[in-house]
């Protein structure tokens, strides 16, 4: 595993397990146990809106892995922001997880009328020690600039959609310039998402690089994230893919290969635009 040093001085694994839509009524605990015990994951990314914080906590307890070795992220949802219930929402997340702290607490989306006040409330949570770090998710550059006017704690991380079809170069650089670690969600773009030549995972540029290293195209994409200094959280419930996704630390891409992948950018989102999203997450 490779790590990023956050602006708090804490170290975070460069690759974690995203658990969006890992259901609480299925074998979600088994999926997470496999990831931690068999595949070696030490970072899990959940959210109150995913309705699976409880099974994340259950899996952590059943894993037998010391809590200090794990990095657990959860998020403040839009309805909780709109109600101004940041402290109560955070306490509920801790209760769901069965933990007395989280490693990282994020604002899930920049609710226009609420995210500044939400951040100020989160700063109090951070200073209490119950969240080892605080950050944001789906924030564009102008959201960061607005927050900067009031923050006394610089966000640790900004989690955004980022993959070869949506490289977000300017936003990634903005984050780095501010001392904010960039993190990608949906790093593989989704197997059904198309570029101009077909399925992303069958893209000829990625296939050629993958063949050179004896890796899958998914592994090449995830390694590309890491080469760019971007923390990533691929989601899977398939044991083979969970295992494959973390098998990234025995090869590196050349600068030319990174540039070729950068060149696939098509400005293609698979998820909502933060500037127009008004949903419940």
């Amino acid at each position: 595993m490779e790590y990023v040093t956050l602006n708090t001085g804490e170290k975070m694994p460069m690759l974690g397990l995203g658990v969006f839509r890992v259901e609480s009524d299925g074998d979600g605990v088994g999926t997470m146990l496999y990831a931690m015990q068999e595949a070696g994951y030490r970072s899990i990314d959940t959210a109150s809106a995913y309705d699976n914080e409880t099974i994340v906590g259950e899996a952590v307890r059943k894993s037998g892995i010391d809590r200090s070795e794990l990095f657990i992220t959860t998020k403040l949802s839009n309805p909780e922001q709109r109600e101004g219930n940041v402290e109560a929402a955070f306490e509920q997340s801790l209760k769901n997880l069965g933990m007395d702290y989280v490693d990282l607490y994020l604002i899930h989306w920049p609710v226009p009328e609420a995210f500044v006040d939400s951040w100020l409330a989160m700063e109090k949570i951070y200073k209490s020690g119950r969240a080892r770090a605080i950050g944001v998710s789906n924030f564009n550059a102008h959201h960061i600039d607005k927050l900067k006017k009031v923050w006394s704690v610089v966000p640790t991380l900004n989690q955004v959609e980022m993959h070869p079809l949506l490289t977000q170069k300017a936003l990634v650089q903005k984050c780095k310039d501010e001392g904010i670690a960039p993190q990608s969600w949906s790093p593989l773009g989704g197997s059904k998402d198309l570029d101009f030549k077909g399925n992303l995972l069958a893209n000829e540029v990625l296939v050629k690089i993958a063949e050179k290293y004896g890796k899958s195209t998914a592994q090449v994409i995830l390694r590309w994230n890491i080469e760019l200094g971007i923390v990533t959280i691929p989601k899977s419930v398939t044991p083979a893919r969970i295992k494959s996704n973390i098998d990234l630390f025995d090869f590196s891409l050349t600068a030319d290969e990174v540039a070729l992948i950068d060149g696939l950018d098509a400005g293609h989102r698979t998820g909502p635009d933060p500037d127009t999203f008004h949903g419940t997450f």
Side-chain angles (χ1 to χ4, degrees):
M1 180 57 65
E2 296 175 17
Y3 294 82
V4 61
T5 301
L6 303 174
N7 62 19
T8 60
E10 299 290 326
K11 293 187 179 295
M12 180 181 188
M14 287 293 293
L15 185 134
L17 180 71
V19 297
F20 175 56
R21 291 181 178 165
V22 175
E23 304 298 336
S24 59
D25 57 355
D27 192 21
V29 171
T31 295
M32 295 178 209
L33 283 174
Y34 177 84
M36 290 185 285
Q37 294 177 325
E38 303 297 328
Y41 286 75
R42 291 296 180 266
S43 177
I44 296 178
D45 180 277
T46 185
S48 61
Y50 299 168
D51 196 30
N52 59 18
E53 290 173 320
T54 300
I55 65 169
V56 169
E58 182 181 349
V60 166
R61 289 186 292 276
K62 287 184 175 179
S63 73
I65 299 168
D66 192 277
R67 175 68 181 87
S68 65
E69 297 180 25
L70 298 171
F71 195 102
I72 307 299
T73 300
T74 194
K75 309 179 191 75
L76 173 70
S77 75
N78 290 359
E80 291 158 343
Q81 286 192 71
R82 293 184 180 113
E83 293 297 322
N85 292 331
V86 178
E87 173 67 27
F90 178 72
E91 283 297 331
Q92 185 61 53
S93 286
L94 287 184
K95 181 178 179 180
N96 292 342
L97 290 161
M99 299 175 185
D100 56 9
Y101 74 94
V102 294
D103 297 276
L104 179 60
Y105 194 46
L106 304 178
I107 296 178
H108 207 153
W109 290 88
V111 175
E113 70 276 17
F115 75 82
V116 170
D117 287 341
S118 295
W119 182 256
L120 295 175
M122 288 176 63
E123 287 189 350
K124 295 179 181 178
I125 291 170
Y126 169 70
K127 291 172 183 177
S128 77
R130 292 169 294 157
R132 300 286 174 85
I134 53 174
V136 295
S137 180
N138 299 300
F139 273 47
N140 289 329
H142 68 92
H143 299 123
I144 294 171
D145 286 337
K146 186 173 182 179
L147 207 59
K148 187 175 181 179
K149 294 177 181 179
V150 302
W151 73 38
S152 63
V153 178
V154 178
T156 294
L157 178 143
N158 185 17
Q159 181 185 117
V160 299
E161 180 182 353
M162 201 285 287
H163 46 74
L165 300 182
L166 185 71
T167 60
Q168 302 254 48
K169 288 294 184 184
L171 180 56
V172 168
Q173 189 58 54
K174 170 72 170 177
C175 290
K176 291 182 177 181
D177 289 346
E178 298 288 355
I180 302 168
Q183 183 182 54
S184 63
W185 62 260
S186 193
L188 303 178
S191 62
K192 295 182 181 179
D193 294 311
L194 303 180
D195 63 10
F196 298 115
K197 297 183 180 179
N199 188 298
L200 176 60
L201 296 182
N203 178 275
E204 60 186 18
V205 170
L206 298 171
V207 169
K208 185 175 181 180
I209 296 171
E211 289 174 346
K212 172 184 172 181
Y213 293 105
K215 294 290 185 178
S216 69
T217 51
Q219 288 169 319
V220 168
I221 293 170
L222 295 174
R223 186 68 219 183
W224 167 74
N225 276 258
I226 290 170
E227 300 286 356
L228 293 173
I230 297 169
V231 184
T232 188
I233 46 168
K235 177 256 178 179
S236 180
V237 296
T238 306
R241 290 177 184 168
I242 289 171
K243 182 70 171 176
S244 176
N245 285 345
I246 203 172
D247 185 19
L248 307 174
F249 303 105
D250 58 353
F251 79 109
S252 298
L253 302 176
T254 67
D256 286 344
E257 289 163 346
V258 170
L260 283 172
I261 299 172
D262 287 348
L264 298 177
D265 182 42
H268 173 66
R269 289 187 182 275
T270 69
D273 185 332
D275 286 333
T276 59
F277 179 64
H278 301 293
T280 59
F281 273 10

